[in-house]
């Protein structure tokens, strides 16, 4: 059984978990706190980041891009369409938006919220910096405007079919939603899309996640939110 080293609110880890769940592959999860830089983690990944995929008889796969490639190559069922579009034009759009989410959205929003609300609290018991969170929230508003426009013009984020880019965005928004940082009332189009993807069986594993001492925001696990 593949083993995934992850943090339960880390969006990159959540992308991998959604892929495994969508493909019906059971996995063993090892929940870690990468910021503690434990020796066993540094031996595998000196950068101390997750996710890390460990398969028996194979070297560890480190980093979100390498992990999603490994999952697609090793576990994508041949009987159904995978999360990578068959047409090159559609794949290009998927990669464009995957890049937007994994890099731009993460760098401008998610990593700041995660650092302030999760890492600071765990490392030092410190309170979040309101100034940092204000900037992250302002950036998120701009991203949501773009996502709203996309979902007003197409069924899924990259086109007519669900792709890995949808899972990436859902992973980030689910983490932010857990922490109460998504204003759904001003994001009708994205909210409608999120309600659809949130209802998929693959999403159940994420909706059951809880962080000790930090309850999920109201509506996090509700399909009708």
């Amino acid at each position: 059984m593949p083993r995934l080293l992850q943090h339960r609110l880390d969006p990159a880890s959540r992308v991998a978990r959604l892929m495994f769940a969508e493909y019906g592959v059971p996995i063993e999860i090892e929940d870690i706190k990468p910021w503690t830089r434990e020796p066993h983690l540094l031996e595998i990944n000196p950068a101390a980041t997750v996710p890390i995929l460990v398969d028996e008889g194979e070297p560890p796969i480190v980093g979100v891009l390498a992990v999603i490639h490994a999952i697609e190559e090793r576990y994508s069922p041949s009987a159904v369409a995978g999360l990578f579009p068959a047409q090159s034009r559609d794949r290009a759009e998927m990669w464009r938006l995957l890049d937007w989410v994994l890099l731009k959205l993460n760098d401008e929003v998610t990593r700041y919220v995660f650092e302030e609300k999760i890492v600071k609290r765990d490392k030092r018991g410190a309170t979040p910096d309101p100034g940092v969170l204000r900037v992250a929230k302002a950036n998120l508003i701009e991203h949501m405007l773009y996502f709203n426009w996309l979902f007003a013009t197409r069924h899924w984020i990259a086109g007519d079919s669900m792709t890995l880019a949808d899972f990436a965005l859902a992973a980030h928004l689910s983490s932010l939603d857990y922490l109460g940082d998504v204003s759904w009332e001003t994001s009708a189009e994205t909210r409608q899309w999120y309600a659809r993807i949130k209802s998929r069986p693959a999403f159940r594993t994420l909706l059951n996640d809880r962080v000790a001492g930090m309850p999920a925001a109201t509506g996090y696990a509700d399909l009708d939110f």
Side-chain angles (χ1 to χ4, degrees):
M1 180 183 296
R3 179 163 59 99
L4 188 72
L5 280 64
Q6 60 119 48
H7 184 277
R8 64 188 62 192
L9 286 186
D10 168 57
S13 301
R14 289 184 155 215
V15 175
R17 289 171 57 193
L18 283 170
M19 290 185 73
F20 275 123
E22 182 74 11
Y23 291 160
V25 179
I27 60 171
E28 177 187 348
I29 290 178
E30 181 179 343
D31 206 36
I32 62 176
K33 299 175 181 178
W35 55 88
T36 62
R37 300 180 64 84
E38 295 292 336
H40 81 285
L41 172 61
L42 295 179
E43 288 178 7
I44 302 173
N45 179 16
T49 58
V50 289
I52 299 171
L53 175 62
V54 180
D55 261 340
E56 187 175 353
E58 299 286 348
I61 305 295
V62 175
V64 62
L65 291 178
V67 168
I68 62 178
H69 268 292
I71 296 172
E72 187 70 14
E73 288 178 352
R74 298 176 185 179
Y75 299 104
S76 175
S78 58
V80 298
L83 295 167
F84 287 61
Q87 300 298 319
S88 60
R89 183 178 62 180
D90 297 334
R91 279 199 309 276
E93 180 67 350
M94 181 207 76
W95 281 114
R96 181 183 77 84
L97 290 162
L98 189 69
D99 183 270
W100 184 296
V101 173
L102 296 183
L103 298 181
K104 186 174 175 64
L105 178 63
N106 185 68
D107 287 349
E108 296 177 359
V109 180
T110 317
R111 72 183 181 95
Y112 290 110
V113 175
F114 196 91
E115 172 71 24
E116 293 298 320
K117 291 193 173 184
I118 301 293
V119 179
K120 265 190 177 181
R121 172 179 173 270
D122 186 76
K123 288 173 70 174
R124 302 185 295 275
T127 56
D129 184 330
V132 173
L133 293 179
R134 276 196 299 272
V135 171
K137 184 173 183 178
N139 289 342
L140 180 58
I141 289 171
E142 294 301 315
H143 281 276
M144 294 298 279
L145 288 173
Y146 180 57
F147 300 144
N148 287 340
W149 178 81
L150 286 175
F151 290 123
T153 60
R154 52 184 67 173
H155 195 59
W156 298 97
I157 191 170
D160 294 332
S161 300
M162 188 184 71
T163 69
L164 185 60
D166 290 284
F167 274 8
L169 180 57
H172 276 262
L173 292 185
S174 66
S175 294
L176 293 169
D177 190 40
Y178 184 100
L179 298 169
D181 286 288
V182 183
S183 298
W184 294 115
E185 62 274 9
T186 59
S187 303
E189 295 86 356
T190 304
R191 180 175 181 167
Q192 291 171 7
W193 160 85
Y194 188 59
R196 281 189 284 120
I197 202 166
K198 191 178 185 181
S199 299
R200 296 185 72 83
F203 225 87
R204 291 172 189 160
T205 179
L206 302 189
L207 297 181
N208 290 330
D209 277 345
R210 295 296 181 273
V211 175
M214 182 176 286
T218 302
Y220 168 73
D222 296 341
L223 300 183
D224 184 16
F225 62 104

